[in-house]
Amino acid sequence: MAVTETQEVETNVVACDGGSGPEGHPLVYLNMNGKNEITCPYCSKHFTLKEGAGGGIGH
């Protein structure tokens, strides 16, 4: 599966719903578990932890 989009984030737990329309999927929370990146298993959206970010859990 090809990566479709990359988003820089400031927390190590991110939420992804795939967006609206036919590309949407159930809301999932993805935990980077100490890594600096993660890819959504549903839509392949790629999240990277912003340089210098604390990595805390955000809401």
Side-chain angles (χ1 to χ4, degrees):
M1 219 182 255
V3 173
T4 58
E5 182 182 346
T6 298
Q7 181 177 345
E8 254 190 343
V9 296
E10 295 185 3
T11 61
N12 63 357
V13 176
V14 295
C16 185
D17 65 4
S20 61
E23 296 176 5
H25 58 71
L27 178 65
V28 292
Y29 292 91
L30 307 169
N31 189 329
M32 294 185 194
N33 291 322
K35 299 178 184 174
N36 291 330
E37 61 185 9
I38 195 163
T39 300
C40 178
Y42 284 100
C43 67
S44 299
K45 184 173 182 177
H46 190 75
F47 297 90
T48 59
L49 192 59
K50 188 179 286 188
E51 181 136 357
I57 297 173
H59 296 280

